[in-house]
Structure formats: C-alpha cells, structure tokens
C-alpha cells in the first residue's frame, strides 16, 4: 500500500471516531485542510461518498459504515505491528514534550526528569511551563501535569503526590503589627498578596471546613504572577500569601513565615502525570512513566508523600 493510501485510511478512521474534522486533525497531528483533502481524495478515488457533512455535524454514510468495518481491523493490525517494532528499540530516543505549571511541580518533576535523562541520554526533554490549562493532544504534548481532580476523563493519570495542601502564611513581623485572622472573612481586613493566573484572572482564595466552602476576592498591596516573588514579599512582611505546602515549608520550618487558618485549608488530591488514553504509548513516554512511578514509590516509602 502506498504511504498516501495509509494516511487517507487513517484519516477516515479518525474522522469517524471524532465526528469532527478539527478534532480528528488534532489527533493525527495534521491541519484540518490537509485532513479534508485526504478524505476527499479517497472518496474521489473509490467513487463513493463516505461522510455526510453539514456545518454542525459529520456522520458516516451507509457506504462509509461498511468501508470502515472492513478497513478498521486491518489498520489496528498495522498499528500494532508498528508499535511492536517501535518498542523493540533497546533505548528510547527522540523528543518528549511535557506541559506543566512553572512552579507547581518543580520539586516533583525536575528530579524525575534528571533521572530520566541520565538513563536515556538519547531523549531530549522539552518542558513548557506557561501554566495554561490546555488540551495536551491538540497542542502536541506527550504528557501533562495538573491536579488529579482536573484531569479530563479520557486521559490516563499517574499520581505523583498523594495529597496537596494550601496555607495562609505571613511573616511574624506582619502578625505583630496587624494581628492574626481567626476566620477566612477576617482576611478582607488584611493586606493580602494576590495571584494573577496565566489566564489573566486573579485567583480567589478557597477555604473549606465541615462542609462550608468560602471563596474570597482578597485585597492587598500587590498582584503578582510569580510564586517566587510572592514568597519573597510574604517573607518581607508585605502581606499574607496563599500558597502550597511545598512552596512555604522551608520558610515555615525556619520561622520566617507563620501559618494561620490551618483548620480551613484541608488536604486535597495532589498532582499527577496524565497522557492520552486513545494513542499508543511511544517508547520515550513509556520509559518516562516507568521512571516517574519508580521514584514516586520510593518517595512514599521514605515518607515524603
């Protein structure tokens, strides 16, 4: 079979599964126009219309259903054979693309990546840390990192940390001057350091106790987009910050920061790696997942969560 024929056949399968040319193009890593041309070329070659197309929907014709039923199993066999050949490589090679937040996974991700590149020097790791909530398949990433509770249902998640927790923290000098808040609503009378999310919106501080949930649009002297700057400002006494345990643990242990409202910030499910459940797993990603699982087990065994 010619290469172009295989591309066209895969295009038919992808469009039939997605019922949408744009989504199918993203799955195949090609432009929507190229995908449309591939489908049209095959329809012209065999002289049969395979899809009913409207501005709102795409569906298989009766002839398309029959055609897909014939080619589907054969393409699965071809994909399985190609996957087996890929996995036969003794050493993964190529590029692994990871999407993550800039600071949220730093202490977890970087040790995994360092160990991964040590074991597999033929792999180049490309980390994009702009913090946007994206579709990793559409944006051509192999794997992403986010909170488990926010991972799409069609993705496969690999937990990296059992739990995460936020804390409200301030410098001892700040509390000496302004006192300690006793309830979340007291924060409305305090100087708070606000965080601007990558989307441009300002994060609202979230609290929960005994089923009661509170979200506050706090006010204060600064709005920042860097966790490092926020931590420095909090240690300097500029105001209160709302940050994760991993961001503040060293400064709390050293006495540079003090936590408040601990009973209003319970633990929640932590970070995970996630990847598409609809694609074969290339050798580069499979090896990375193995390293991540191994190091996560070791961290839990050593009591580091």
């Amino acid at each position: 079979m010619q290469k172009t024929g295989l591309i066209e056949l895969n295009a038919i399968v992808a469009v039939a599964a997605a019922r949408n040319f744009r989504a199918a193009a993203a799955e195949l890593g090609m432009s929507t126009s190229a995908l449309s041309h591939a489908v049209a070329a095959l329809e012209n070659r065999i002289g049969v219309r395979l899809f009913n197309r409207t501005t709102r929907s795409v569906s298989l014709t009766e002839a398309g259903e029959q055609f897909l039923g014939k080619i589907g199993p054969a393409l699965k066999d071809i994909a399985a054979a190609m996957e087996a050949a890929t996995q036969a490589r003794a050493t993964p090679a190529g590029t692994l693309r990871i999407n993550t937040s800039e600071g949220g996974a730093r202490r977890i991700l970087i040790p995994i990546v360092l160990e991964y590149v040590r074991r597999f020097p033929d792999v180049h790791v490309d980390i994009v840390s702009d913090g946007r909530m994206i579709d990793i398949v559409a944006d051509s990433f192999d794997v992403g990192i986010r909170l488990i509770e926010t991972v799409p249902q069609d993705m496969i998640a690999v937990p990296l940390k059992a739990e995460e927790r936020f804390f409200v923290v301030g410098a001892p000098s700040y509390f000496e001057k302004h006192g300690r808040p006793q309830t979340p609503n007291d924060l409305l009378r305090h100087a708070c350091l606000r965080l601007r999310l990558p989307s441009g919106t300002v994060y609202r501080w979230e609290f929960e106790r005994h089923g009661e949930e509170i979200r506050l649009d706090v006010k204060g002297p600064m709005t920042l987009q860097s966790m490092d700057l926020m931590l420095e400002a909090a240690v300097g006494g500029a105001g209160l910050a709302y940050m994760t345990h991993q961001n503040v643990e060293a400064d709390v242990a050293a006495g540079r920061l003090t936590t408040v409202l601990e009973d209003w910030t319970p633990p929640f499910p932590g970070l995970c790696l996630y990847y598409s459940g609809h694609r074969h797993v290339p050798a580069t990603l499979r090896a990375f997942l193995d390293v991540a699982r191994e190091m996560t087990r070791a961290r839990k065994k050593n009591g580091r969560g």
Side-chain angles (χ1 to χ4, degrees), residues 115-126:
E115 176 62 17
Y116 177 69
V117 297
R118 184 189 69 79
R119 297 186 191 181
F120 306 105
D122 292 334
V123 179
H124 173 81
V125 179
D126 182 4

Side-chain angles (χ1 to χ4, degrees), residues 27 44 62 71 94 112 123 133 135 142 152 154 171 177 188 209-210 228 231 234 239 253 264 280 287 293 304:
E27 177 68 20
N44 290 335
E62 182 177 355
I71 69 168
I112 295 172
V123 179
M133 299 289 282
D135 181 339
D142 297 293
D154 61 345
K177 184 175 182 180
L188 298 176
R209 188 178 70 172
H210 306 317
D228 290 340
L231 185 62
W264 281 95
H280 73 275
R293 291 188 179 102
R304 288 179 287 160

Side-chain angles (χ1 to χ4, degrees), residues 182-184 207-214 262-266:
Q182 302 301 311
T183 70
F207 301 93
E208 188 271 328
R209 188 178 70 172
H210 306 317
E212 180 184 1
E213 297 182 2
I214 299 175
E262 293 94 335
D263 57 338
W264 281 95
T265 56

Side-chain angles (χ1 to χ4, degrees), residues 29-291:
M30 59 194 303
S31 68
T32 304
S33 61
L35 176 65
S36 181
H37 287 149
V39 172
L42 183 57
E43 288 179 324
N44 290 335
R45 184 176 304 164
I46 63 179
V48 174
R49 184 161 52 89
L50 301 175
F51 292 99
N52 293 314
R53 304 169 176 82
T54 70
T55 56
R56 295 185 178 181
S57 65
V58 177
S59 62
L60 284 164
T61 63
E62 182 177 355
E65 293 277 7
Q66 295 176 353
F67 185 75
L68 185 63
K70 296 289 187 181
I71 69 168
L75 288 176
K76 288 182 180 179
D77 288 343
I78 293 172
M82 294 176 67
E83 172 66 7
T86 300
Q87 295 304 322
R89 291 187 62 109
T91 305
T95 298
L96 181 76
R97 300 194 72 225
I98 304 173
N99 183 272
T100 182
S101 62
E102 182 174 353
R106 183 179 303 163
R107 298 185 186 180
I108 296 175
L109 175 62
I110 294 303
I112 295 172
V113 170
L114 292 177
E115 176 62 17
Y116 177 69
V117 297
R118 184 189 69 79
R119 297 186 191 181
F120 306 105
D122 292 334
V123 179
H124 173 81
V125 179
D126 182 4
I127 301 175
V128 176
S129 55
D130 58 8
R132 293 179 301 133
M133 299 289 282
I134 67 162
D135 181 339
I136 61 170
V137 175
D139 284 15
S140 300
F141 286 95
D142 297 293
V143 64
I145 293 180
R146 68 172 63 169
L147 295 175
I148 293 176
E149 61 189 19
T150 65
V151 173
Q153 292 184 351
D154 61 345
M155 295 286 170
I156 297 175
V158 178
L160 293 175
K161 198 175 191 304
E163 289 184 327
E164 187 56 270
R165 188 176 181 185
F166 278 93
F167 284 103
V168 177
V169 296
S173 60
Y174 176 91
F175 292 122
E176 290 174 6
K177 184 175 182 180
H178 301 284
R180 297 164 65 96
Q182 302 301 311
T183 70
N185 286 323
D186 290 345
L187 293 169
L188 298 176
R189 297 188 293 274
H190 280 264
C192 297
L193 304 171
R194 308 192 328 151
L195 174 67
R196 180 180 292 107
L197 300 174
S199 63
T201 60
V202 175
Y203 181 69
R204 298 174 68 185
W205 293 14
E206 300 179 73
F207 301 93
E208 188 271 328
R209 188 178 70 172
H210 306 317
E212 180 184 1
E213 297 182 2
I214 299 175
R215 298 185 68 194
L216 294 177
D217 185 11
V218 296
K219 306 299 180 185
M222 299 182 191
T223 299
L224 305 167
Q225 198 164 342
S226 164
M227 285 295 183
D228 290 340
L229 290 177
M230 181 169 291
L231 185 62
E232 187 174 344
V235 170
L240 303 182
Y242 184 82
M243 304 181 74
T244 65
H245 173 258
Q246 69 176 26
N247 289 129
V248 303
E249 59 179 333
D251 289 290
V252 170
R256 292 185 291 270
L257 290 175
T258 301
T259 63
V260 293
L261 302 174
E262 293 94 335
D263 57 338
W264 281 95
T265 56
F268 56 91
L271 294 165
C272 71
L273 296 173
Y274 68 101
Y275 60 98
S276 174
H278 298 302
R279 285 181 168 180
H280 73 275
V281 180
T284 52
L285 176 55
R286 190 181 303 279
F288 183 75
L289 296 173
D290 288 342
V291 172

